[in-house]
Amino acid sequence: MGYKGRIITTFISLLVGIPYCIYNFFSLHSILRLEIDLSVLIAVTMIIYWLGMQYDKADFYHKELMKKQKQLTQMAYYDELTLLPNRSLLYKFLKKSIQQIKLDNKSFVVLFIDLDGFKVVNDEFGHYIGDLLLVEVGNTLKSCTSEKDMVARLGGDEFIIVLTDCNKSSAIEMVACVKDKFSKPFILNGRSVQITASIGASISPDDGLDEELLIQRADKAMYEAKNKGKNTVAYYQPTIK
């Protein structure tokens, strides 16, 4: 309601009540009745104003509560730096995706992305530029995915992408998008920073129906990509150690 709303309500109450009191006075010619009517009008007006104040307080505390709940959810499920989903929300998403493919017999892909040379960026430009780079990498990865997919940050310079309703051929297109984006330097606070990414992939259900196992196998594939010379992608194979 707000302060203005309470004033308007009070004004309307008086606008209606005062003529009524005057009408009764001239009709009944009773000072006592006028005093009673005015007392009732003042009491009702004060009660209306007080109720408006209580409503505003309740509304304020409700908004504050919702804000606190949103902050707690943000802290629990989102990375503080990049605002991407964190490990907790990622695992929930993976669990849901696994349940879904059991119903529709489709598949999804987990991409484990590690930035090549990120430590060099931190050492050369400082952690502030490194943090800016992580934020821009997160935004870049999101630009290559759809709304039904998830881009999460595990920590450090490690990111996970979950491509829902996706197979190997579709994943290759997404990886091509990432490599194209990373082929151009990131401009961070006036500095040009060039990095690449090593990407490992696991595919569910072929490579497992467990969220931890899928991430582990995508991680192994990512190290295989690094061993191949970095800036490339490798898909999990049982022969990878």
Side-chain angles (χ1 to χ4, degrees), residues 215-239:
I215 290 177
Q216 288 177 356
R217 289 182 169 176
D219 187 20
K220 287 183 179 181
M222 182 272 294
Y223 277 105
E224 181 72 9
K226 281 190 178 293
N227 292 334
K228 290 180 179 179
K230 303 180 180 180
N231 190 29
T232 187
V233 59
Y235 291 84
Y236 174 78
Q237 298 293 334
T239 54

Side-chain angles (χ1 to χ4, degrees), residues 13-25:
S13 176
L14 293 174
L15 188 65
V16 173
I18 290 177
Y20 174 78
C21 294
I22 295 174
Y23 173 80
N24 278 347
F25 172 70

Side-chain angles (χ1 to χ4, degrees), residues 94 97-98 101-102 106-108 110 202-215 217 236:
L94 280 172
S97 298
I98 291 169
I101 64 170
K102 288 179 180 178
K106 294 182 179 179
S107 62
F108 69 87
V110 177
S202 62
I203 302 174
S204 184
D206 295 346
D207 297 327
L209 286 168
D210 176 81
E211 53 269 26
E212 184 66 43
L213 181 62
L214 288 167
I215 290 177
R217 289 182 169 176
Y236 174 78

Side-chain angles (χ1 to χ4, degrees), residues 6-96:
R6 295 197 300 272
I7 292 298
I8 292 173
T9 304
T10 301
F11 176 76
I12 292 173
S13 176
L14 293 174
L15 188 65
V16 173
I18 290 177
Y20 174 78
C21 294
I22 295 174
Y23 173 80
N24 278 347
F25 172 70
F26 284 106
S27 297
L28 302 174
H29 303 286
S30 172
I31 295 295
L32 178 60
R33 179 56 187 267
L34 177 62
E35 292 176 348
I36 293 174
D37 287 343
L38 289 174
S39 298
V40 170
L41 174 61
I42 292 171
V44 169
T45 302
M46 292 179 64
I47 290 172
I48 291 173
Y49 189 85
W50 179 83
L51 289 173
M53 291 179 62
Q54 303 314 304
Y55 173 84
D56 288 342
K57 287 181 181 179
D59 184 57
F60 170 79
Y61 287 122
H62 174 71
K63 289 179 179 178
E64 285 297 306
L65 178 61
M66 296 300 292
K67 187 186 299 184
K68 292 295 182 184
Q69 289 178 338
K70 185 177 181 180
Q71 290 173 348
L72 289 173
T73 301
Q74 187 76 21
M75 293 171 61
Y77 292 116
Y78 292 88
D79 177 60
E80 183 178 0
L81 175 64
T82 63
L83 302 182
L84 293 174
N86 62 15
R87 185 184 295 267
S88 297
L89 189 54
L90 169 64
Y91 274 64
K92 285 179 175 290
F93 187 80
L94 280 172
K95 188 181 293 291
K96 182 180 178 181

